[in-house]
Amino acid sequence: MTEALVGAQVHTPEGIVAGRALLLADGAIRDIVADDAVPDGAHPTRLAGGTLAAGFIDLQVNGGGGVMFNDAPTAATVAAIGRAHLARGTTGFLPTFISGARADMARAIAAVRAAMDEGQAGVLGIHFEGPHINPARRGAHDARRIRPLAEGDIELLASLGAGRTLVTLAPERVAPADIAALAARGVIVAAGHSEAESGTIDVAAARGLTGVTHLFNAMGPLGHRAPGVAGAALTRDSLACGIIADGAHVHWDVLRLAWRAKPPGKLFLVSDAMSPVGAPDVDAVRIGDETARIVGGGLRLADGRLAGSLLDMGQAVRNCVVHAGIPLADALAMAAACPADFVGVGESRGRLAPGLRADLVWLDDELRVRATWVGGTRSNAAEE
């Protein structure tokens, strides 16, 4: 049976349009038609205003629902994280494993593979953030787990099979030939936790590096004589950049600057979420031998370093519009189409268009998530 979602404006690849109905059938988007052109026999579902958009895609999700992927890399953990973020508009995500031992990385791969085999909604693959990063820019990563790339690591990083694998590394610490080898195996390579010079980024990009992880964070500041990773990220149109729009990791003015600098489709939102998202009773996160606590709406270690975020993608979209003055259509694309294209799933999700998966989010007029659909099946939003 065809379902017709009516009553909300619709974010299409051409922009946000009113007076349209979204037709769903067999888990996919059948068509977008005028309200008065809904076919006979379609089952109408009336929405109370707001905006229908493609479900959010989050490529950096450390935790949620009270659990951290690093702490318990199992399919059950992946499912718990997915449920917490689905209730907040995320219909596709990469569970993110930060710098850890090889054996634990292998467990993380097995967990994601099992989750995908079980058909857990929204799991697109895995993101390894480290361990091949620069210790000088480790952020909250456990210093004991940071190490150079060694024999067997490329095979491990490329061993997921189905799904997408994103690896964040420091290009100044990994040989260009190894970056090329990862890219040749289908791994998506991003620069992060790095002090690379812009020229080093260019060399890495020529060998297969295509992205930058959490722009401006865990990298040197943009300098007028030493642009570094940030300068290269802003000026190389080929590089797609993730950014954490919570007001703590990046000032709203700088978020707007990045949006202005990057071509359409090359700046995307990430949450960098930790376990307290979707778990209001959790107020601290253990990272190695350190504890991050909620301070002023963010997670910080004892010395004040940021340690992930309390952000979800719905809040990130709202922040872009309310605090950075980014148009809603652009913010929605930054949360869906842009990350989908970056990891190579844009042909099946990330936009509202006929033939794509019916992965949707419904935002009310205050841009708060009201419901999500995964493969055409509706889930109501979390109660805030």
Side-chain angles (χ1 to χ4, degrees):
M1 176 182 291
T2 297
E3 180 180 13
L5 303 180
V6 297
Q9 60 183 2
V10 179
H11 179 232
T12 73
E14 291 72 40
I16 297 175
V17 294
R20 300 292 192 275
L22 193 67
L23 305 183
L24 312 181
D26 300 321
I29 299 168
R30 176 179 168 186
D31 207 351
I32 301 173
V33 301
D35 283 345
D36 59 6
V38 173
D40 294 339
H43 174 73
T45 298
R46 180 158 293 278
L47 306 175
T51 303
L52 274 171
F56 305 140
I57 294 176
D58 192 349
L59 305 183
Q60 193 169 358
V61 188
N62 310 296
V67 296
M68 290 286 290
F69 190 39
N70 269 68
D71 291 345
T74 66
T77 298
V78 173
I81 293 170
R83 286 192 298 271
H85 289 274
L86 175 62
R88 290 157 178 81
T90 295
T91 60
F93 71 105
L94 294 182
T96 299
F97 192 87
I98 66 172
S99 299
R102 285 188 182 91
D104 291 332
M105 293 169 68
R107 289 176 60 207
I109 291 169
V112 169
R113 188 183 296 124
M116 297 180 74
D117 288 345
E118 293 167 7
Q120 289 186 19
V123 184
L124 302 180
I126 192 168
H127 178 179
F128 282 111
E129 189 184 352
H132 314 303
I133 60 175
N134 193 322
R137 293 290 176 183
R138 69 183 179 92
H141 288 229
D142 187 341
R144 299 170 302 178
R145 299 304 186 189
I146 296 170
R147 56 183 175 80
L149 190 143
E151 184 177 357
D153 285 331
I154 291 173
E155 294 299 319
L156 175 63
L157 292 169
S159 65
L160 177 63
R164 299 294 190 267
T165 298
L166 170 62
V167 172
T168 295
L169 51 76
E172 73 274 24
R173 309 262 307 172
V174 177
D178 288 333
I179 292 174
L182 285 167
R185 295 288 300 271
V187 174
I188 303 151
V189 183
H193 291 272
S194 168
E195 290 196 326
E197 297 294 336
S198 57
T200 303
I201 296 295
D202 288 337
V203 171
R207 305 305 296 272
L209 182 138
T210 57
V212 173
T213 293
H214 47 47
L215 180 61
F216 300 114
N217 295 115
M219 60 186 65
L222 174 63
H224 64 291
R225 292 191 180 93
V229 180
L234 291 173
T235 57
R236 274 57 166 181
D237 290 353
S238 63
L239 295 177
C241 303
I243 197 163
I244 306 169
D246 64 351
H249 283 79
V250 177
H251 190 280
W252 304 126
D253 289 345
V254 178
L255 172 59
R256 184 173 176 82
L257 172 67
W259 167 71
R260 286 182 171 181
K262 295 301 294 179
K266 292 297 185 177
L267 184 69
F268 60 89
L269 300 173
V270 295
S271 70
D272 200 21
M274 304 292 269
S275 57
V277 174
D281 294 336
V282 176
D283 60 3
V285 178
R286 191 72 177 168
I287 304 173
D289 288 338
E290 300 183 274
T291 299
R293 301 189 183 279
I294 297 177
V295 178
L299 276 169
R300 293 187 180 271
L301 298 168
D303 61 4
R305 280 176 292 148
L306 286 164
S309 85
L310 305 175
L311 189 66
D312 62 72
M313 291 291 277
Q315 181 67 55
V317 168
R318 193 157 57 250
N319 287 344
C320 284
V321 175
V322 173
H323 298 296
I326 296 173
L328 176 58
D330 287 6
L332 291 171
M334 289 162 62
C338 302
D341 289 346
F342 176 55
V343 294
V345 298
E347 292 184 356
S348 62
R349 65 185 81 209
R351 295 169 176 83
L352 300 188
L356 273 65
R357 280 176 55 94
D359 290 356
L360 326 170
V361 61
W362 174 34
L363 307 177
D364 64 19
D365 291 332
E366 295 182 347
L367 304 183
R368 297 190 179 279
V369 174
R370 295 288 301 278
T372 55
W373 289 256
V374 175
T377 299
R378 177 173 174 166
S379 297
N380 289 330
E383 294 185 6
E384 300 295 344

